[in-house]
Amino acid sequence: MAVTIIFLAVVGSVIAWWLSRQRLTSKPWLEEGAGEPPAGPGSGGPIPAAKLGLWVFLAVVGSLFALFISAYSMRMHMGDWRPLSLPDLLWVNTGLLIFSSFALHRAVLAARREDGGNLEAALLAGTVSAAGFLIGQILAWRQMAAGGVFLASSPAASFFYLITAVHGLHLAGGLVALTRAGIRVARGGGTERTRLSVELCAVYWHFLLLVWVVLFALLLLTRGGTH
Amino acid sequence: MVDIARGPTDLVPPAEVEDAELYHPKSWITKYVFSQDAKVIAIQYSLTAMAIGLVALVLSWLMRLQLGFPGYFSFISPESYYQFITMHGMIMVIYLLTALFLGGFGNYLIPLMIGARDMVFPYVNMLSYWVYLLAVLVLVASFFAPGGPTGAGWTLYPPQAILSGTPGSGWGIVLMLSSLILFIIGFTMGGLNYVVTVLQGRTRGMTLMRMPLTIWGIFTATVMALLAFPALFVGAVMLLFDRLLGTSFFMPAIVEMGQFLERDGGSPILFQHLFWFFGHPEVYIVALPAFGIVSDLISTHARRNIFGYRMMVWAIVAIGALSFIVWAHHMYVSGMNPYFGFFFATTTLIIAVPTAIKVYNWILTLWRGDIHLTVPMLFALGFVVTFVNGGLTGLFLGNAVVDVPLSDTMFVVAHFHMVMGVAPILVILGAIYHWYPKITGRMLNDALGKFHFWVTFLGAYAIFFPMHYLGLMGVPRRYFELGETISLQESHSLNAFITVVALLVGFAQMVFLFNLGWSLFRGREAGSNPWRATTLEWQTPDTPPRHGNWGKELPVVYRWAYDYSVPGAEQDFLPQNQPSPVRSG
Ligand code: HEM
Ligand SMILES: [Cu+2]
């Protein structure tokens, strides 16, 4: 469970850092008055609610994957573990996902410059490569199955299918949001809102890329010999 | 940060309405059914939770009937007894307490108490309720499924949870796991809202250190739940795979009915780790909102500022943080004793310090307070007494747990019912009596309320005190009947007594439900602030508050939430949105 502990430690330090700036030692019973007028709506600060919501959501998803990884490593250390060999296709998929993330990064830059043409191109590239990643993952499953490794073949196989499926589902959910943002852009919105939704998608993409890299590294380090 | 350097009398221009941001319902359906208004969602959550809680209550009667009068009820078989225990425990802890505190009170109180118009993501908030409802329906469906609901115990330990010897191992467990997965998805949607609304939606002047403790409790509990529920999610998904798809995450190689199952030697211990990774903080997810609400009830009804507000906030945060750390014992001690005894003993010891601070501060607040024995106050006092009591038996359990036999007896059942069952339920009931006037505009009937309180409070003691004694006599938990064990014969009359009282307490809850319905039409008009409370929800222009909560202008907060018995004030309290004391004379 080391991974989960580390993850929680990170989340915990973010919370602690944030709390440390909240004047928790002030004496509210001595203070009166409403303070300076806030910058935006409410007095919460300049971060848009949707962005904060996304980060909180990422903490939840992070906790989910940390737990999967912890379960994986705990299970791995039990006697009957038989390591798995991985299809090489996963390298290609990883490349696709990196490209997708990079494309969304370009999209954010283009949106900031209000450069509509590049924005559309980058969004399209990001969407297509992410879809490519998902298709690649399914192909990888089929290669495994063709090699006689099914969901219930061994604990390692079960973990492989389950974890890749959960990751893929999260990306698929992201694709829905990304497509919606793309449509909004194509309809000619260079507005604040489209920029925000492109930014949110990019953050989510980078996060899922990070999760995938960690998962892939873990799978690689614990894999068995080739077929 | 908001700087509060202005003079107390400075008037600040109120914040503008951002009308465009507010979603406006267009038809009856979007106003009352598929509503995005947190207040309506709160009521939907609460009613659903209470309805399913009623099922759990009926199950407890059935269990008690069996325990009190074994052999009289032919329709209760050993299998169905296990099913009752399992469903009762699961419903009470998750579908009632968690849903009511966070989905019910969280939704109603967060926007109102921090001066927001609604949650920040109203649409997601609405989805949260409907997914929760679906989870409840799936759970209810398992009662009607072939083979009935699962009887694996609320901890759902594999392997027995999915082996054919266990009742409900066909449909029951599948529906239960699916329902849990749905619940967690629904909760996450709601939880994101509660957290971000508290962070972003506070009105001008509402600094964190001016938030009522209710909000602190709900907020911290939500953060914990968001991080802890994924563990249950992972466990449930993997168990579901084991059950349906033949994987062996948890299933060890097992011989069932003389045949080797197609299992590859999974790890049941792994499930226990995941389960307690969630189960452990769950206790505090339920307790922290209760702590917060009780602080506000006590302060309001004793007309006294809460003693040690800062310490109360720190204690809430500390309990949240500590319970994260305490988790570690599940991660390093493999094969840990999963029983409640151990579980509570360890945590009570570590978390005893901030918890004791809270109890101490409640008592100091009451001390020399001008105590009004209103119904909400009675429930709050009942909670404090029960909690102190539970803490004491907890210490006893802490010593006794070395003596393993006790840890699987009725003593443990009694103990966790006191701390985790009765105590939070008392808070919920008190909170309903307290906020009902704001929600409906009418007061609950006082006489019925007092009757309800005394029967529930004294009844709970009559049920669970003797149960401690049964445990000391060696009566085990999760036993359908004791059989002919001679030494336990004298437990029979005691068991019968407990059962009769349990039925009485159940009857008192029916009186409460009647009161809820009756007062809706016949209750005394409440006015906008019947308890003369300081917090923002009582300062709304309309009662019940309308869509958008605040009319044209958002309230501006000038002070903390506990200015009671202010010398020289016109009334004896100062609402949070009042600029400066109006001096008389
Ligand atoms: C009138 C109120 C209640 C009565 C009479 C009652 C009665 C019972 C009984 C007879 C058992 C089974 C004991 C055994 O044989 O092991 C039980 C188990 C349990 N109850 Fe309650 N209960 C009540 C309220 C609650 C509440 C409010 C909660 C919420 C936390 C709760 C949570 C549980 C749990 C978690 C179990 C253990 C289930 C298991 O062993 O799997 N109960 N209750
Ligand atoms: Cu524990």
Side-chain angles (χ1 to χ4, degrees), chain B residues 57 60 63-64 67 81 85 88-89 92-93 97 153-154 410 413 416-417 420-421 425 464 477-479 502:
Chain B
L57 183 66
S60 79
M63 287 187 289
R64 278 317 317 176
L67 291 177
Y81 185 76
I85 291 194
H88 163 83
M92 285 290 191
V93 173
L97 292 183
W154 86 285
M410 280 299 179
V413 174
F416 75 69
H417 271 91
M420 220 199 146
I425 292 276
F464 294 112
R477 69 182 283 211
R478 289 185 179 172
Y479 265 51

Side-chain angles (χ1 to χ4, degrees), chain A residues 1-2 4-5 7-8 11-12 15 18-19 21-38 40-61 63-65 67-68 70-72 74-75 78 80 82 151-155 157-162 165-166 170, chain B residues 1-4 6-8 12 18 21 120-121 188 192 195-196 199-210 216 219 223 226-228 230-231 233-234 237-238 241 245-249 264-267 269-270 273-274 277 305 308-310 313-314 317 324 327-328 331-332 554 556-560 563 574 579-581:
Chain A
M1 289 250 155
T4 310
I5 295 183
F7 175 78
L8 285 180
V11 174
I15 295 176
W18 174 78
L19 276 175
R21 306 178 8 156
Q22 301 300 317
R23 299 176 71 243
L24 289 197
T25 52
S26 64
K27 299 191 169 109
W29 53 93
L30 298 180
E31 296 174 343
E32 275 184 21
E36 297 303 314
S43 54
I47 315 172
K51 200 167 205 172
L52 191 66
L54 179 66
W55 280 102
V56 179
F57 180 64
L58 292 187
V60 177
V61 178
S63 167
L64 184 74
F65 280 106
L67 282 155
F68 269 123
S70 292
Y72 179 83
M74 274 171 70
R75 184 68 188 79
M78 287 170 193
D80 59 341
R82 277 176 286 130
L151 174 65
S153 297
S154 72
S158 309
F159 268 109
F160 173 79
Y161 281 103
L162 177 60
V166 172
H170 278 86
Chain B
M1 263 333 297
V2 182
D3 192 21
I4 313 177
R6 284 163 167 267
V12 258
E18 312 99 28
E21 289 197 1
V120 286
F121 313 119
T188 305
L192 288 177
V195 170
V196 179
L199 292 179
Q200 294 277 340
R202 280 172 286 130
T203 188
R204 180 160 173 204
M206 180 62 85
T207 59
L208 279 191
M209 290 306 274
R210 280 177 174 175
W216 269 106
F219 175 67
V223 172
L226 283 175
L227 293 170
F233 187 87
V234 169
V237 168
M238 289 177 17
F241 269 54
L245 302 173
T247 54
S248 34
F249 291 113
D264 218 39
S267 162
I269 297 287
L270 183 56
H273 280 294
L274 289 171
F277 198 92
N305 62 342
Y309 173 84
R310 272 195 306 174
V313 171
W314 296 345
V317 174
F324 273 71
W327 275 348
M331 300 169 218
Y332 293 123
L554 285 176
V556 175
V557 171
Y558 294 89
R559 61 192 66 254
W560 73 330
D563 272 339
L574 293 173
S580 68

Side-chain angles (χ1 to χ4, degrees), chain A residues 90-112:
Chain A
L90 291 181
W91 285 100
V92 180
N93 295 349
T94 309
L96 277 173
L97 196 59
I98 294 176
F99 177 78
S100 183
S101 208
F102 179 69
L104 286 199
H105 177 64
R106 297 300 303 253
V108 172
L109 296 184
R112 287 207 186 128

Side-chain angles (χ1 to χ4, degrees), chain B residues 425-461:
Chain B
I425 292 276
L426 287 176
V427 175
I428 285 180
L429 294 175
I432 292 178
Y433 281 96
H434 184 76
W435 277 293
Y436 186 90
K438 180 49 65 174
I439 299 171
T440 64
R442 289 174 188 270
M443 307 294 285
L444 280 168
N445 182 290
D446 206 49
L448 289 181
K450 291 207 161 116
F451 170 81
H452 177 214
F453 168 74
W454 285 110
V455 177
T456 306
F457 179 69
L458 296 179
Y461 275 74

